Amino acid sequence: MKKINSTLLLILMFLGGALIINFVMSGFSVSPGSLLWMKPGRFDGLISPYYYSILIILGINIILSVSLALLNGFTGLFTMGHAGFMAIGAYTSASVVTFLLPNAPFVIQLFCGSLAAGAFSALVGFFIGTSCLRLNGDYLGMVTLGFGEIIRIVLLNIDAVGGARGMTDIPVYMNLGSVFLLTIITILVIKRIRDGRLGRAMLAIKENEMAANMMGINPLSIKVRAFVISSFIAGVAGSFFAHSEGYLSTQTFTFTKSFEVIAMNVVGGLGSLSGAIVGAGILTVLPEGLRKLQDLTGIDIRMIIYALTMVLIMILRPQGLMGNKEWKWLSSK
Amino acid sequence: MNEFIQHTINGLALGSIYALVALGYTMVFGVLQLINFAHGDIFMLGSFVGLYFIRYGIPNAEPSFLTAIMVIIVAMAGSALIGVIIEKFAYRPLRKSPRINILITAIGVSLLLEYGGQLVFGASPQFFPDILPRKNIDLGGNIILDSNQITIFVISFVLMQLLQFMVFKTQFGRAMRAISHSLETANLIGINVNKVIFITFIIGSSLAGAAGVLYGVAYPKIDPLLGVLPGLKAFIAAVLGGIGNITGAVIGALILGLSETYVAGYISSTYRDALAFVILILVLLLRPAGLLGSKKIEKV
């Protein structure tokens, strides 16, 4: 009981934080819309739109990274198709909002959109998870990569969502405060899962599947649950992405995107929740910081940095920056 | 019917290129149990080495048989060098690490080559010149056999025969096959494992380099990301044939090349790239050992 209360308290605290962020960002306006969901008048705020959008991307990347950490880091299922789940979420939510509920109030639109995004993505995750149960290691990675690419190619061929032109005119609802709040909630949810019975079972499977099975854990069921939860969150992240960008193209969701998320996990340290956050932070902020260099050379240097950090970390510090350590507020007591 | 024969010829040519790349995947997997993700990019670099050799090494050469041989040999040497460097600096320090770490390194190296390639060669596509006089042979009934396709068939056939000889008839081949059974045991009986892995990378990468030149000949627009899809598809071909199995890789590659060409010809070219992934998923779910592979039993 005490634990639930403390989590609730944390969430309330961050809700307050989100309200304050939006209050400041919107140039001290108190209309209810600008406080939680609507895009505030961000140009009157304290920081430039450029940094504002980087912070939003950072939040979405953290959500993606911790959702992958659940699969890659905790359960030891190496998957390379996370961009596919994100794509499903993004397109589902955008379609629900623009085709099914074009006239509903935005709170309902966003709620239904994100929920449908998560649910549909989780359904696909369930399907992929159950069909891949026999595979391990790099084979699982290859199959999930295949699924991710198939999802993308199918989306590319659906003309209703824009096909190769991309999907435009998606209403923009996300602002810094809401992304911040949802990021924190996601992190806390994943932390609670990790520290609970399910998470213990996942860690046991990662260490030794056979031994876990002997201890009475059903590895198949746990693996499928990991897939479903992870793809649900990735789908929701996709939905947030759709409603913060306002534009979707299948080019965003190639397997390079999956590799980016893997790189975030790897740089921070596979198996560490704090690591996933640190990795997402570094790989989102670093390339933007090096944009000057990119202006100089005229080449998208971001991917070279991803690649180099991945290789160097693997050779010099294979356990990642955080190793197995967690920050205090994320450690399991 | 004529259309079908034409598609078959095109598919076999594409499949031969895949086969040369797939052989490298399968050989490296055989000795190291590693999916060498960077292999597709070594294939791309082979193409570029060939292009730059034509452009700056032999700027005035007429397309001829000698030119073709020279370009292919230089491209093979260049790719072999790159493959060896990658093995030495990226894979060798990780020889004892968990497989996932090596796989992530391979992905990193692959991205590094792709985007480093963009930095060096520029991101826009470049034109790959003819290295042999181009001639279309009409087989009657609208079936056309391109002289480039003949080049592809002949060169890949010769290279595959060479490889077959090397793997099954020489001392090195015997050592390589021993390592693919068990690296530790091979080490214990006095095989210089590092040397054999080194040579395996040389052979695999040089085959990819030759494939890169042939690809440039067949599809004369090359860019630094060209290795991504053919690389993945060649890997899928290797899995389809049974990874680690040399004959399997060739058969898998031919099947993949043919089915891709049929899908593009009869159904829709937008679904062509999805087909390879569907094949991959089906093979891994239904018969993970591939067509010719043998099943491994996992022991506790």
Side-chain angles (χ1 to χ4, degrees):
Chain A
M1 203 58 211
K2 195 172 159 249
K3 191 143 196 190
I4 292 173
N5 281 340
S6 70
T7 311
L8 252 179
L9 199 72
L10 263 178
I11 290 182
L12 279 178
M13 240 170 69
F14 285 116
L15 184 67
L19 284 173
I20 293 170
I21 289 181
N22 279 343
F23 178 62
V24 176
M25 285 297 159
S26 60
F28 306 103
S29 118
V30 276
S31 77
S34 70
L35 282 185
L36 256 193
W37 298 113
M38 296 275 277
K39 188 175 168 184
R42 47 205 239 188
F43 305 107
D44 335 325
L46 290 183
I47 55 175
S48 74
Y50 170 62
Y51 291 114
Y52 194 91
S53 65
I54 291 179
L55 286 174
I56 286 190
I57 296 284
L58 174 67
I60 292 171
N61 278 343
I62 290 177
I63 297 179
L64 275 177
S65 178
V66 294
S67 77
L68 185 70
L70 192 75
L71 268 182
N72 259 353
F74 302 156
T75 325
L77 296 169
F78 188 70
T79 62
M80 305 204 279
H82 227 54
F85 296 129
M86 190 187 171
I88 292 181
Y91 276 91
T92 309
S93 176
S95 312
V96 165
V97 168
T98 42
F99 300 134
L100 284 183
L101 305 163
N103 299 318
F106 67 88
V107 178
I108 292 177
Q109 278 186 333
L110 188 66
F111 183 73
C112 293
S114 304
L115 204 65
F120 192 43
S121 177
L123 188 72
V124 176
F126 175 77
F127 170 69
I128 295 178
T130 39
S131 52
C132 295
L133 281 178
R134 279 168 42 184
L135 300 170
N136 265 321
D138 14 8
Y139 277 134
L140 178 70
M142 290 309 296
V143 168
T144 44
L145 184 127
F147 273 117
E149 280 298 287
I150 290 173
I151 289 170
R152 189 179 67 82
I153 294 170
V154 168
L155 283 172
L156 188 65
N157 282 293
I158 300 177
D159 209 44
V161 293
R165 295 185 309 279
M167 193 170 185
T168 48
D169 296 332
I170 304 163
V172 174
Y173 292 140
M174 304 307 286
N175 64 20
L176 193 56
S178 45
V179 169
F180 172 73
L181 179 67
L182 293 165
T183 308
I184 296 293
I185 290 178
T186 312
I187 293 173
L188 289 178
V189 165
I190 300 232
K191 174 187 178 295
R192 304 255 321 155
I193 291 175
R194 183 199 62 189
D195 294 343
R197 199 183 162 77
L198 184 60
R200 299 278 169 208
M202 286 173 176
L203 290 171
I205 288 173
K206 177 191 170 193
E207 293 304 328
N208 190 332
E209 186 172 336
M210 199 72 82
N213 203 351
M214 296 302 161
M215 300 297 289
I217 295 167
N218 180 356
L220 304 189
S221 130
I222 301 290
K223 282 181 180 177
V224 171
R225 278 190 236 176
F227 253 104
V228 169
I229 297 171
S230 177
S231 52
F232 182 91
I233 296 172
V236 174
S239 150
F240 296 164
F241 179 76
H243 294 298
S244 64
E245 297 278 303
Y247 168 75
L248 288 178
S249 150
T250 50
Q251 277 307 309
T252 319
F253 305 109
T254 54
F255 54 88
T256 329
K257 180 76 195 174
S258 309
F259 288 166
E260 276 177 37
V261 189
I262 294 172
M264 290 168 193
N265 270 239
V266 170
V267 167
L270 272 176
S272 157
L273 194 53
S274 327
I277 300 168
V278 171
I282 290 178
L283 288 188
T284 315
V285 174
L286 188 70
E288 299 297 339
L290 290 168
R291 197 170 278 273
K292 284 270 183 302
L293 202 64
Q294 185 181 331
D295 293 340
L296 211 66
T297 54
I299 304 272
D300 190 1
I301 206 149
R302 213 164 27 174
M303 292 312 295
I304 299 183
I305 294 166
Y306 279 131
L308 260 184
T309 30
M310 261 164 107
V311 175
L312 289 181
I313 291 255
M314 271 299 126
I315 293 175
L316 302 176
R317 196 177 159 83
Q319 73 274 34
L321 291 178
M322 296 293 288
N324 277 327
K325 292 194 201 72
E326 297 281 3
W327 290 323
K328 206 170 169 207
W329 64 286
L330 286 177
S331 66
S332 44
K333 281 161 212 123
Chain B
M1 191 60 206
N2 286 341
E3 200 189 343
F4 179 76
I5 295 174
Q6 181 71 59
H7 283 320
T8 309
I9 294 175
N10 297 346
L12 286 176
L14 183 64
S16 308
I17 295 178
Y18 286 160
L20 287 178
V21 186
L23 285 169
Y25 268 114
T26 225
M27 281 166 56
V28 169
F29 191 89
V31 294
L32 280 183
Q33 313 290 309
L34 155 75
I35 301 174
N36 182 9
F37 254 97
H39 198 63
D41 304 295
I42 294 176
F43 159 82
M44 172 274 287
L45 287 172
S47 207
F48 272 96
V49 170
L51 173 72
Y52 278 69
F53 179 65
I54 300 169
R55 208 180 272 169
Y56 300 111
I58 43 170
N60 301 318
E62 290 292 313
S64 73
F65 187 67
L66 188 69
T67 320
I69 297 291
M70 261 165 41
V71 170
I72 286 178
I73 288 178
V74 168
M76 285 172 80
S79 318
L81 185 68
I82 294 157
V84 163
I85 291 174
I86 293 171
E87 197 274 326
K88 182 140 174 64
F89 290 104
Y91 299 154
R92 190 171 296 180
L94 293 167
R95 194 69 44 85
K96 299 233 155 45
S97 321
R99 275 170 69 185
I100 288 302
N101 290 14
I102 312 180
L103 184 67
I104 292 168
T105 313
I107 294 173
V109 171
S110 157
L111 293 177
L112 192 64
L113 292 183
E114 283 159 23
Y115 293 92
Q118 285 196 345
L119 201 69
V120 177
F121 308 126
S124 48
Q126 302 188 40
F127 183 73
F128 198 96
D130 279 340
I131 53 173
L132 270 179
R134 189 183 275 268
K135 209 193 250 173
N136 285 342
I137 302 161
D138 201 335
L139 297 181
N142 283 334
I143 305 169
I144 291 166
L145 184 61
D146 193 337
S147 61
N148 287 336
Q149 288 172 334
I150 301 178
T151 320
I152 292 171
F153 290 137
V154 170
I155 289 179
S156 37
F157 183 76
V158 169
L159 288 176
M160 283 173 212
Q161 287 304 314
L162 264 177
L163 180 71
Q164 189 83 1
F165 174 79
M166 228 185 260
V167 173
F168 290 102
K169 296 281 181 341
T170 63
Q171 190 75 29
F172 156 76
R174 185 178 297 188
M176 199 184 102
R177 282 179 289 142
I179 289 179
S180 75
H181 272 278
S182 163
L183 198 134
E184 277 93 40
T185 321
N187 205 357
L188 286 177
I189 58 172
I191 294 173
N192 187 342
V193 172
N194 273 339
K195 190 175 148 200
V196 174
I197 291 174
F198 192 78
I199 299 177
T200 308
F201 266 87
I202 290 184
I203 296 175
S205 307
S206 55
L207 288 178
V213 172
L214 295 179
Y215 191 85
V217 167
Y219 308 92
K221 258 184 162 178
I222 60 173
D223 66 86
L225 295 183
L226 109 142
V228 180
L229 269 184
L232 273 177
K233 286 173 184 169
F235 167 76
I236 292 168
V239 172
L240 173 63
I243 196 149
N245 184 316
I246 287 179
T247 328
V250 177
I251 294 176
L254 292 180
I255 294 177
L256 189 67
L258 281 175
S259 42
E260 266 198 354
T261 320
Y262 292 146
V263 166
Y266 292 114
I267 302 172
S268 154
S269 59
T270 43
Y271 279 107
R272 192 182 62 190
D273 293 340
L275 173 82
F277 293 108
V278 172
I279 291 182
L280 171 78
I281 291 167
L282 288 181
V283 170
L284 285 185
L285 295 184
L286 303 177
R287 197 183 153 80
L291 295 176
L292 298 185
S294 52
K295 219 169 190 172
K296 282 206 182 98
I297 297 162
E298 199 175 325
K299 290 177 192 153
V300 183

